[in-house]
Amino acid sequence: MVELLIPQRQHSIGAFEVGRVLPFRQRRMVGPFIFFDRMGPQALTAPVGTENDVLPHPHIGLSTVTYLFEGAMTHRDSLGVEQDITPGALNWMTAGSGISHSERFEPMRAQGGRMDGIQVWVALPEHKEEQNPDFVHYEAEQLPLIKDTGLEGRLIAGSALGLCSPASVASPLFYMELRVQAGQSVPLPTGHDERAIYICAGGLEIGSQRYPAGQMLVFAKGDSPRILAEQSSHLMLLGGEPLGPRHIWWNFVSSRKDRIEQAKDDWLNGRIRLPPLDDEQFIPLPAV
């Protein structure tokens, strides 16, 4: 059944509020997923100020996965990529040995509107932590549709429910969005040691227990409980095989503490380049 409940905690990233789920003090990771932020829902008033933007910042040892429900953002990275992110599309950026990127609200700058979505970080296996950085974008129509009685959604990454996403992953996992009508069963994929559901909206019923929105349910290994949508619900399902312990500090993830220290020094001394299309500002290394 449900092994652990992880509540969403409000966290400020400048002028923008997010709901942080992972990492959690009692559960650092679910499969390779080491970070999970709900970006919104938040109304951005026009004109959207640059104080809401996320300035260039570095990553190592992970892939960032950005998926929006509403709104739009512009991604720029040190590979020279510039890509707008829109609802239902997938941005998959692999940091590997080191990358920097920015996330700006330029598509919404003039008119404003609602922003809502999820950003996760997927840790890389040890033998791939130092791979060359990479970026791939998939439009919404490229991702497999999930459709059955009373439910629909997209398989964002990995394999589940007989489907396979085109996104290349470094270890076995699944990541999907589902919208489920009231009273319908929720399919929890099997075949992975660690699995979880984040409730974006609505609520679930498992046995006699009810679970409202704004929390992640982590399931025990091997269990296949009957999960019902108590009301029309919007869900994110994720999981995969554990990779072993990881160290996380600021935006850096690694299996080695000394590699984190090296990344700090690299950013402090300009050895991780800035995005060539967004190189006039950056987030400095935190003091602690």
Side-chain angles (χ1 to χ4, degrees):
M1 300 294 279
V2 176
E3 186 177 75
L4 179 67
L5 287 177
I6 303 178
Q8 175 177 296
R9 293 96 58 204
Q10 289 306 112
H11 184 80
S12 176
I13 51 171
F16 196 80
E17 291 287 321
V18 299
R20 183 143 302 162
V21 181
L22 292 174
F24 185 56
R25 63 184 181 275
Q26 294 173 257
R27 185 78 185 223
R28 306 292 289 176
M29 302 172 70
V30 175
F33 294 86
I34 194 167
F35 182 93
F36 188 107
D37 262 6
R38 173 78 177 273
M39 303 182 293
Q42 183 168 329
L44 300 178
T45 304
V48 179
T50 56
E51 68 274 8
N52 293 282
D53 295 350
V54 181
L55 298 179
H57 58 281
H59 291 285
I60 65 161
L62 55 85
S63 294
T64 65
V65 184
T66 306
Y67 185 83
L68 299 182
F69 309 136
E70 297 180 274
M73 302 169 69
T74 298
H75 161 100
R76 296 186 180 95
D77 64 39
S78 52
L79 298 175
V81 173
E82 181 177 70
Q83 175 68 56
D84 284 347
I85 314 170
T86 55
L90 167 63
N91 265 23
W92 190 287
M93 183 187 77
T94 298
S97 59
I99 200 170
S100 71
H101 73 132
S102 63
E103 296 155 311
R104 295 184 180 271
F105 291 102
E106 288 174 6
M108 303 178 66
R109 193 80 72 203
Q111 295 184 343
R114 281 172 57 85
M115 167 58 63
D116 194 10
I118 304 288
Q119 185 174 95
V120 301
W121 297 354
V122 179
L124 295 171
E126 287 188 40
H127 68 285
K128 294 189 175 183
E129 286 183 315
E130 297 299 324
Q131 72 174 70
N132 291 331
D134 188 31
F135 176 89
V136 187
H137 176 83
Y138 301 90
E139 296 294 346
E141 57 268 22
Q142 294 177 266
L143 302 178
L145 287 176
I146 301 166
K147 199 167 183 65
D148 204 345
T149 302
L151 66 85
E152 61 180 23
R154 285 187 181 90
L155 179 64
I156 301 167
S159 300
L161 308 180
L163 300 172
C164 185
S165 167
S168 178
V169 297
S171 64
L173 61 84
F174 69 91
Y175 184 41
M176 68 177 71
E177 176 192 16
L178 283 183
R179 296 180 187 268
V180 188
Q181 294 178 12
Q184 295 295 320
S185 294
V186 177
L188 180 64
T190 58
H192 295 279
D193 282 356
E194 299 184 356
R195 300 163 298 159
I197 297 177
Y198 170 75
I199 308 172
C200 303
L204 299 179
E205 183 177 319
I206 304 174
S208 59
Q209 187 68 43
R210 294 180 174 181
Y211 301 94
Q215 56 187 329
M216 179 178 284
L217 284 58
V218 181
F219 293 88
K221 179 180 177 180
D223 276 2
S224 298
R226 186 166 186 253
I227 306 169
L228 294 178
E230 183 187 26
Q231 52 191 292
S232 292
S233 299
H234 183 194
L235 312 171
M236 301 298 286
L237 286 71
L238 64 149
E241 303 309 303
L243 297 179
R246 288 294 185 274
H247 304 286
I248 181 170
W249 187 90
W250 191 38
N251 302 313
F252 304 138
V253 168
S254 180
S255 58
R256 296 163 30 222
K257 284 186 178 180
D258 64 307
R259 185 63 181 89
I260 299 282
E261 295 304 313
Q262 180 63 57
K264 292 180 186 180
D265 192 65
D266 287 344
W267 185 244
L268 188 64
N269 290 287
R271 288 190 290 271
I272 299 176
R273 66 179 298 213
L274 292 171
L277 300 175
D278 192 352
D279 62 358
E280 295 184 0
Q281 298 172 293
F282 63 89
I283 300 177
L285 190 76
V288 292

